[in-house]
Amino acid sequence: MDIRQLRYFLAIAEEGQITSAARRLQMAQPPLSQQLRLLEEELGVKLVERGPRSIQLTEAGMVLRERAQQILELADSTTRELKDFVKGVHGTLSIGTVSSSAATLLQERLLEFHQIYSGVKFEIHEGNTYRIIDLLNKGIVEVGIVRTPFSAAGLECVYTASEPMIAVMTPEYDWTRGESAIEIGELKHQPLIIYRRFEQLIREAALENGFDPQIFCMNDDARTTLLWANAGLGIGIIPRSAFTLADNSNVIAKEILGDSLNTRVAAVWMKDKYLSSLAGKFIENFQT
């Protein structure tokens, strides 16, 4: 049993048909069928039940499928790791990031990383947290920069320091006579503009303080929240570090007191999957 045979078997298992697997592997069907028979003979077990139009894995076949996936992933990651070793810290790093973490990523992390590893290029994929985690699962990005709350199942995570949410508003909305901070209860009856990812967090914090928030606009980007608030359409709620993401020339910012609305930026990557030396260096820098 070798790597080539395992690739053949995994293609058959995933396609459910030898014909489709042969097409995927760009080879003729008879040699592929022969390789499957040889593998069964070598292992002394029946791996598939052959039907008129498709094949079904036996119990032994299901065991081999799981092991083959692990072995091939390890082989592929070993190859990539050795190539990384030869190349050194160069190449392109693919990062996924949510809009509300962009300021933290640029101001506090990427500039320093670029100064240390000037030969590295970047490929940035933007989207909400769910999209970034999906991109990690698909291997399109190696590292995601997301913001709590999110499900950390299957992920390795490194967090930055906690930061508060702020309320951003035009002077016409300012009822505080210039105070720099407010209690969340003061937002009762105010038209709120919020990023959809924070809806549950904001609702729970408001309910704990005895009111149901009046959400005027729900959106999918912290920059939209800031732009709408800047236009005087309501009071935006964003993480403090997101204040510089879009035009804020017409608004004032007030910290919302209390721990219930605090949030953190996190660098995340998949557990038990290959991480390039380049991504590893980036994560090391992210922790400092």
Side-chain angles (χ1 to χ4, degrees), residues 96-108:
T97 179
V98 297
S99 65
S100 63
S101 69
T104 298
L105 178 62
L106 283 172
Q107 296 172 6
E108 301 176 13

Side-chain angles (χ1 to χ4, degrees), residues 215-233:
I215 297 176
F216 169 68
C217 172
M218 186 104 64
N219 60 73
D220 291 312
D221 196 313
R223 291 167 294 196
T224 302
T225 297
L226 192 53
L227 288 170
W228 278 52
N230 196 69
L233 295 171

Side-chain angles (χ1 to χ4, degrees), residues 257-268:
L257 299 174
D259 295 333
S260 59
L261 286 182
N262 282 5
T263 180
R264 293 190 291 172
V265 171
V268 298

Side-chain angles (χ1 to χ4, degrees), residues 157-168:
C157 310
V158 173
Y159 297 91
T160 62
S162 180
E163 66 174 297
M165 294 282 198
I166 58 173
V168 292

Side-chain angles (χ1 to χ4, degrees), residues 7-228:
R7 291 195 190 279
Y8 288 167
F9 173 74
L10 197 55
I12 293 170
E14 290 174 350
E15 294 292 333
Q17 287 184 327
I18 293 179
T19 302
S20 297
R23 190 180 305 116
R24 169 175 155 184
L25 293 166
Q26 296 183 329
M27 62 185 297
Q29 180 179 338
L32 183 58
S33 297
Q34 182 182 17
Q35 287 296 324
L36 178 59
R37 284 195 297 271
L38 290 173
L39 185 58
E40 288 179 321
E41 291 173 6
E42 179 182 348
L43 296 175
V45 293
K46 193 172 186 179
L47 297 172
V48 302
E49 294 288 350
R50 294 164 176 80
R53 294 186 177 179
S54 63
I55 60 101
Q56 296 291 326
L57 295 182
T58 64
E59 188 173 347
M62 288 187 283
V63 171
L64 181 60
R65 176 179 181 169
E66 181 178 351
R67 294 292 184 267
Q69 288 172 329
Q70 295 170 349
I71 292 167
L72 292 174
E73 185 173 308
L74 180 59
D76 290 342
S77 67
T78 300
T79 300
R80 291 195 299 269
E81 188 169 3
L82 290 173
K83 287 181 178 178
D84 281 344
F85 180 78
V86 172
K87 292 178 181 176
V89 186
H90 295 282
T92 301
L93 177 60
S94 295
I95 300 174
T97 179
V98 297
S99 65
S100 63
S101 69
T104 298
L105 178 62
L106 283 172
Q107 296 172 6
E108 301 176 13
R109 298 296 187 272
L110 269 182
L111 286 177
E112 181 181 351
F113 184 80
H114 176 63
Q115 289 171 354
I116 299 171
Y117 304 107
S118 59
V120 174
K121 298 178 182 178
F122 297 91
E123 185 175 315
I124 303 297
H125 297 258
E126 296 177 296
N128 60 33
T129 295
Y130 306 110
R131 170 169 163 74
I132 299 307
I133 292 175
D134 181 55
L135 292 175
L136 282 170
N137 273 304
K138 292 177 177 176
I140 296 173
V141 301
E142 278 199 277
V143 182
I145 308 298
V146 296
R147 186 180 287 277
T148 60
F150 63 88
S151 172
L155 299 174
E156 299 283 1
C157 310
V158 173
Y159 297 91
T160 62
S162 180
E163 66 174 297
M165 294 282 198
I166 58 173
V168 292
M169 65 196 78
T170 54
E172 291 79 10
Y173 279 101
D174 186 7
W175 68 93
T176 69
R177 297 180 181 176
E179 294 293 329
S180 61
I182 61 171
E183 300 285 348
I184 188 171
E186 297 179 62
L187 294 173
K188 186 177 182 180
H189 303 311
Q190 298 290 347
L192 303 182
I193 305 165
I194 69 170
Y195 178 27
R196 195 181 311 277
R197 280 276 293 115
F198 299 134
E199 178 187 6
Q200 184 176 353
L201 188 68
I202 291 168
R203 285 193 183 279
E204 289 176 355
L207 290 173
E208 286 175 4
N209 285 269
F211 72 99
D212 192 17
Q214 180 183 325
I215 297 176
F216 169 68
C217 172
M218 186 104 64
N219 60 73
D220 291 312
D221 196 313
R223 291 167 294 196
T224 302
T225 297
L226 192 53
L227 288 170
W228 278 52

